[in-house]
Amino acid sequence: MSGKIVRRIAASCIAAVSIISLCAFSLKTSTSEAAVSSVYGDVNGDGEVNIIDSIYMKQNALLGKREFPITNWRAAASLNGTDNIDGNIISINKEQIIGGSNAFAPVKKLSFYNGIDVSKWQGVIDWNRVRAAGIDFVMIKAGEGTRMESTFLRNITGAKSAGIQCGVYWFANARNIDECKAEARACLDTIKNYQLEYPVVYDFEYRTLNNNPLSTDRAMCTEVMYTFLEDIEKAGYYPMVYSNKDFPQRYINLQRLTERFDFWYANYSLKEPDVPCGIWQRSCTGRVDGISTDVDLDISYVDYKSVMVLNGVNGY
């Protein structure tokens, strides 16, 4: 992303990786390398109990949801109308997952999809070569503040023509509620002619808070982000928040956002995410055929197109 949150933590970037290593990415890790899901147990059947089991639960909950809003995946995982997210039994795909045990036979293995995110800084992209390199989806910068990104139309047209699934992100400049609502309107106007297989993301970063009164008001900063995401959702799109581990500790209440909205998580120092997320941005120094610069590498744990089609959102 331009003006990246992650530039502040660039020292933790993993070394540049090839698309071959991207496709061979492993989801397994020891419990010492990731948070442990004591509630869900080994739900994906990989022999380990860790955060990937929580992500697996989230994936299945989203795909089983058939009402709007769909981004509140905790509510989607309710049993008999009661939210049991912190209880012992969660109902997913008509199977009973017994928390803390390894007895559950998974409905299916955890799926993941290879992706990138791009802006004007990637220059002119050969999207057919990108698709041939194994990229399934792309998150495209659609705009910043109230202005469309100069390369957005070229990138989304090229990516879609190559058969790559698309989502977008909007870089925030907002200083208050009124400005974030204006940004939401600009974003919606920019994307209104496109079906999007992936979420619409609000990208609120360190640069956003330069000389910004929100930098010292955690509650209002959180509310500004929440308002943008809510406006996107009310317009019939699937919203998502982007952040890393450091930014929330300084500026926002991330839990308030992720209790309602899906999460795109940036962390380059791990072999897998250490928090539940729909998309994990795992590197800022990737190299992909068809792109002449470094590019961010992402993993999606959700078949988002199925979610959009199932629920009739994002232009479907």
Side-chain angles (χ1 to χ4, degrees):
M1 295 182 178
S2 63
K4 309 197 69 53
I5 284 179
V6 295
R7 300 306 181 202
R8 290 291 185 89
I9 54 170
S12 65
C13 287
I14 62 174
V17 294
S18 68
I19 194 64
I20 295 175
S21 64
L22 171 64
C23 294
F25 172 67
S26 171
L27 294 175
K28 294 194 68 175
T29 188
S30 67
T31 54
S32 64
E33 294 174 326
V36 172
S37 168
S38 60
V39 174
Y40 314 125
D42 180 22
V43 297
N44 72 319
D46 66 356
E48 300 177 19
V49 178
N50 53 33
I51 203 69
I52 295 298
D53 296 300
S54 298
I55 293 173
Y56 176 86
M57 190 285 294
K58 176 178 181 177
Q59 171 182 314
N60 282 277
L62 281 172
L63 290 173
K65 184 78 168 174
R66 288 180 172 83
E67 61 185 71
F68 193 80
I70 57 174
T71 49
N72 191 341
W73 61 274
R74 286 177 173 82
S78 64
L79 178 63
N80 297 326
T82 302
D83 189 358
N84 285 268
I85 201 67
D86 294 320
N88 292 322
I89 300 179
I90 307 253
S91 177
I92 297 175
N93 291 351
K94 300 180 180 179
E95 297 283 349
Q96 299 299 303
I97 298 178
I98 309 301
S101 78
N102 294 324
F104 173 66
V107 176
K108 60 184 177 64
K109 291 294 184 181
L110 179 70
S111 299
F112 68 96
Y113 307 90
N114 298 317
I116 56 176
D117 54 272
V118 302
S119 68
K120 64 183 179 182
W121 302 112
Q122 275 65 53
V124 177
I125 298 171
D126 187 330
W127 288 104
N128 289 320
R129 287 168 61 189
V130 170
R131 183 69 186 98
I135 295 299
D136 302 306
F137 73 96
V138 59
M139 304 299 291
I140 302 171
K141 184 178 179 182
E144 178 172 339
T146 56
R147 299 183 64 179
M148 182 175 65
E149 179 81 344
S150 60
T151 55
F152 171 66
L153 296 179
R154 184 179 70 204
N155 280 334
I156 195 166
T157 300
K160 282 188 166 292
S161 294
I164 299 174
Q165 296 186 16
C166 297
V168 301
Y169 69 92
W170 196 269
F171 193 93
N173 285 334
R175 298 164 59 88
N176 53 52
I177 295 294
D178 287 342
E179 290 183 5
C180 84
K181 292 179 79 67
E183 291 184 346
R185 289 193 297 271
C187 177
L188 291 167
D189 187 59
T190 298
I191 66 178
K192 64 184 178 182
N193 294 324
Y194 299 96
Q195 288 182 322
L196 298 173
E197 295 81 14
Y198 271 72
V200 178
V201 180
Y202 201 29
D203 181 14
F204 207 98
E205 304 193 10
Y206 299 101
R207 178 164 65 86
T208 306
L209 295 179
N210 289 343
N211 300 314
N212 189 329
L214 296 178
S215 64
T216 58
D217 191 337
R218 179 185 295 266
M220 182 53 67
C221 190
T222 305
E223 199 60 31
V224 164
M225 296 177 69
Y226 193 100
T227 299
F228 179 98
L229 297 167
E230 189 173 49
D231 283 1
I232 295 298
E233 186 175 71
K234 287 178 179 177
Y237 291 85
Y238 187 107
M240 173 180 268
V241 60
Y242 171 88
S243 196
N244 64 13
K245 181 159 284 188
D246 174 74
F247 189 85
Q249 294 174 359
R250 296 170 182 260
Y251 300 115
I252 61 173
N253 178 359
L254 183 62
Q255 182 178 356
R256 168 162 164 71
L257 298 172
T258 58
E259 280 180 347
R260 172 64 183 277
F261 303 108
D262 210 342
F263 186 32
W264 180 7
Y265 178 51
N267 194 321
Y268 309 148
S269 62
L270 302 172
K271 294 181 180 179
E272 64 184 24
D274 58 349
V275 297
C277 56
I279 301 175
W280 172 38
Q281 187 183 75
R282 70 185 191 89
S283 174
C284 62
T285 56
R287 302 295 296 192
V288 173
D289 189 36
I291 301 177
S292 61
T293 67
D294 284 353
V295 64
D296 299 329
L297 302 180
D298 300 283
I299 297 290
S300 171
Y301 297 103
V302 177
D303 177 5
Y304 279 109
K305 181 177 180 180
S306 293
V307 173
M308 307 313 174
V309 172
L310 179 68
N311 293 276
V313 296
N314 276 28
Y316 283 93

